[in-house]
Amino acid sequence: MGELKGLPNLGPVLEGELARAGITTREQLYALGSREAWLRLYTADPTACLHRLLALEGAVQGVRKADLPPETKAELKAFFKAAAGKCAHRKAQGGHRLEAGGNVCFD
């Protein structure tokens, strides 16, 4: 690890989660964007929360998550609710996978 070190909001725990999701470099994170990166985390760990999504967006933009514009936070909150809600039926069954581009379950 260490490729993501120094980005805002990314400590060793989140860096490790990203690595387990196959995201190990800044370039990969930037190319995927916060939403896609979060979906990969969420697919592996359904406890991935809104704060992780905000942290990822801040890392991509180079700012602390608290400094994200209110509109960005609102968009990410709506995305989070939609993505998490589409997989709620799978959580009860012990697992789920998301289709990355469409944010829908495909199990």
Side-chain angles (χ1 to χ4, degrees):
M1 285 195 294
E3 291 276 343
L4 298 169
K5 187 175 179 147
L7 288 175
N9 314 306
L10 294 189
V13 172
L14 186 50
E15 187 176 357
E17 292 172 352
L18 287 167
R20 286 187 293 280
I23 303 166
T24 58
T25 68
R26 291 173 184 231
E27 292 76 20
Q28 288 173 317
L29 179 59
Y30 296 154
L32 290 170
S34 64
R35 289 170 176 87
E36 177 66 24
W38 180 84
L39 284 172
R40 290 184 182 198
L41 294 180
Y42 186 73
T43 298
D45 177 7
T47 67
C49 62
L50 175 61
H51 294 282
R52 284 190 206 150
L53 177 58
L54 294 172
L56 291 168
E57 180 64 25
V60 169
Q61 290 192 24
V63 300
R64 293 180 22 180
K65 68 180 183 179
D67 296 329
L68 290 169
E71 327 58 74
T72 300
K73 289 180 183 178
E75 289 171 9
L76 292 171
K77 186 174 182 178
F79 171 84
F80 172 81
K81 285 183 174 185
K86 288 180 180 178
C87 284
H89 68 285
R90 299 303 289 165
K91 288 182 195 177
Q93 297 173 8
H96 67 281
R97 294 178 294 154
L98 292 177
E99 180 181 276
N103 309 328
V104 296
C105 266
F106 64 95
D107 278 329

